Amino acid sequence: MILTQTEFLLPSQGADMSRWAVIACDQFTSDRGYWERLAGYVGESPSTLRLILPEVYLPDGDEKQRSRDIYAHMERYCSDGTLVGKNGFIIVERTLKNGKKRLGAVAAVDLEEYEYTPKNNARIKATEKTVEERLPARVALRKGALLEASHIMLLAENVLGLLREYADGEGETVYDFDLNMNGGHLKGKLIDDPAKLAAIENAALGGHDGLAFVVGDGNHSLAAAKKIWEEVKKDLSEEERKTSPARYATCEIVDIADGSLVFEPIHRVVYGADASLTEFLADKLSGDARAEAYYGGERTELHVASNSADAIADIQSALDEYAKAHEGAVTDYVHGDESALRAAKENGAVAVMMPCICKDTLFDYTVRRGVLPRKSFSMGDAEDKRYYCEARKIR
């Protein structure tokens, strides 16, 4: 089985859930003010903010002390009654700030079924390139952790009907509260029925040559968990490997067809480049669709592949080739058309306006070509990302 029920740890009755759940650690990485305001709101209340290391603080060089504080809070929450165990899987209904609702199933996934290398036969695949330099901090933190709190989201096909059925059916409501910092609302229903979770897995396995899930968010956290499991299992017997909590990672399963999931492009702004880059791209790329590059107020039309996923991969490949020959060329990843054009204009850089990936091409691309380049797409606004809520013991 790819998915399994598990014992989730949730705050005991009466806890302030709006202070407990916080946004994913890899959001607002350039906005310390967000995290300072969040810390002020949380105060001394129990919170997943104490269980994570927001990436905005990584440049400070105090990871070891922050990790020790995190481990101490994990031990305390498990020993002082802050957290209580609930066995099963959780159907999540997230109401976004725009009012749209997103359904998901939170369960433990088998890391033996996941791979992040470009071409593989795994049943859970990464969609974007894993940047190895981003893994050490996550690996180091997870190695000493008693608990995990997860922001990983896996995308599936053909499961939306089941998620709706289970959301409307019987189960214990384990949380129902407004999220902080403009995050919307979160409701969770616990279901203790392995057959229902198996039905979700079987539906996801319905196509694409055995590929069940692709990673929509949190791939570097999942990759870190995989790396640790590969080390841990070396010292375990075959029987111990079957039940080790380190073998699993908590993920939320969401149907890629869910109407709340909106894919948005992430543009490239290349500093230290000039018109030679736009000319290079125009000469290098080909296809029936169109993209654009801008330098110094001049627009260059690019001919690219009609399949948006292929177009993104081809453009990034050309940018990488250009960068190898131009040492001073540095690429930044920018959300929003206006932001990309403004950044290029103000800094004398080149803005490459990337295509928006079509959701219905993502599984096909992943099977055919492997992983997309890093930062190929974004799913909604930062406030709409997954909040940490459920915890699980990993040792």
Side-chain angles (χ1 to χ4, degrees):
M1 297 293 290
I2 306 173
L3 305 178
T4 186
Q5 296 193 167
T6 189
E7 183 182 58
F8 289 112
L9 299 176
L10 292 166
S12 56
Q13 190 173 7
D16 188 338
M17 294 299 294
S18 291
R19 286 178 165 81
W20 169 257
V22 304
I23 197 72
C25 67
D26 59 352
Q27 299 303 305
F28 300 100
T29 55
S30 299
D31 186 359
R32 288 186 178 234
Y34 175 95
W35 293 98
E36 290 167 359
R37 292 191 300 275
L38 175 60
Y41 173 74
V42 166
E44 297 301 317
S45 297
S47 177
T48 53
L49 183 61
R50 318 290 185 211
L51 308 182
I52 64 167
L53 174 54
E55 291 188 1
V56 70
Y57 298 121
L58 289 180
D60 293 0
D62 58 352
E63 292 173 40
K64 289 185 178 180
Q65 181 58 53
R66 287 183 179 272
S67 296
R68 285 193 289 268
D69 292 342
I70 289 168
Y71 300 153
H73 277 93
M74 289 178 175
E75 296 284 353
R76 185 186 311 162
Y77 288 170
C78 286
S79 62
D80 68 1
T82 295
L83 296 174
V84 295
K86 298 282 186 178
N87 191 72
F89 70 99
I90 299 174
I91 293 294
V92 173
E93 182 183 280
R94 172 76 176 274
T95 304
L96 306 179
K97 62 180 185 293
N98 63 8
K100 291 185 177 181
K101 295 183 184 294
R102 183 174 73 218
L103 292 175
V106 180
V109 300
D110 188 350
L111 291 167
E112 288 287 329
E113 301 286 355
Y114 160 74
E115 185 55 68
Y116 59 84
T117 54
K119 293 290 288 184
N120 60 74
N121 295 317
R123 295 196 288 181
I124 307 173
K125 292 176 180 282
T127 49
E128 295 185 338
K129 181 180 179 181
T130 301
V131 182
E132 291 287 342
E133 297 79 43
R134 292 184 64 191
L135 295 182
R138 294 171 186 256
V139 169
L141 181 60
R142 188 179 177 96
K143 269 187 178 179
L146 172 64
L147 305 176
E148 69 169 358
S150 175
H151 70 271
I152 299 165
M153 184 182 291
L154 300 184
L155 303 178
E157 293 185 319
N158 308 314
V159 303
L160 190 54
L162 287 171
L163 295 178
R164 286 172 177 157
E165 176 186 333
Y166 299 161
D168 293 336
E170 295 182 355
E172 177 190 357
T173 298
V174 287
Y175 49 77
D176 189 354
F177 64 99
D178 288 333
L179 294 162
N180 56 51
M181 306 294 282
N182 202 33
H185 190 88
L186 192 64
K187 180 179 180 181
K189 179 181 293 186
L190 182 74
I191 298 178
D192 187 6
D193 186 348
K196 290 185 175 180
L197 188 59
I200 292 175
E201 178 177 319
N202 291 333
L205 282 166
H208 300 290
D209 300 322
L211 174 61
F213 307 107
V214 298
V215 182
D217 214 348
N219 184 64
H220 287 84
S221 293
L222 195 56
K226 173 78 170 184
K227 275 185 170 291
I228 291 174
W229 169 239
E230 292 297 327
E231 288 298 316
V232 168
K233 73 179 185 180
K234 292 177 182 178
D235 298 323
L236 301 179
S237 67
E238 283 299 321
E239 284 302 310
E240 289 172 328
R241 291 180 183 183
K242 293 177 182 178
T243 58
S244 172
R247 176 172 176 156
Y248 299 91
T250 303
C251 300
E252 180 179 348
I253 312 299
V254 176
D255 196 302
I256 197 169
D258 192 305
S260 71
L261 283 183
V262 178
F263 282 20
E264 298 174 350
I266 303 178
H267 304 306
R268 275 52 169 163
V269 175
V270 186
Y271 299 98
D274 52 28
S276 66
L277 173 55
T278 60
E279 294 168 1
F280 176 81
L281 293 173
D283 181 64
K284 189 75 175 178
L285 300 168
S286 62
D288 297 328
R290 301 289 183 269
E292 299 172 332
Y294 291 85
Y295 175 71
E298 294 293 324
R299 171 184 176 275
T300 300
E301 185 176 83
L302 307 175
H303 295 255
V304 297
S306 55
N307 182 300
S308 55
D310 288 319
I312 291 167
D314 294 343
I315 293 171
Q316 187 60 56
S317 178
L319 289 173
D320 292 342
E321 184 177 341
Y322 179 88
K324 286 181 180 179
H326 297 78
E327 187 174 339
V330 178
T331 300
D332 192 15
Y333 304 89
V334 180
H335 298 257
D337 295 2
E338 292 184 6
S339 296
L341 293 172
R342 182 172 60 252
K345 183 178 181 180
E346 293 177 352
N347 296 280
V350 173
V352 183
M353 313 305 288
M354 301 294 283
C356 183
I357 192 168
C358 298
K359 292 197 293 184
D360 59 4
T361 68
L362 186 59
F363 273 80
D364 172 70
Y365 178 92
T366 305
V367 170
R368 288 189 297 108
R369 293 184 61 170
V371 297
L372 284 158
R374 181 190 178 201
K375 299 288 187 181
S376 290
F377 64 92
S378 174
M379 295 195 304
D381 296 336
E383 293 93 343
D384 296 335
K385 301 297 183 181
R386 192 167 200 280
Y387 274 56
Y388 301 108
C389 189
E390 309 83 6
R392 185 181 68 86
K393 286 188 176 181
I394 54 176
R395 62 174 172 84

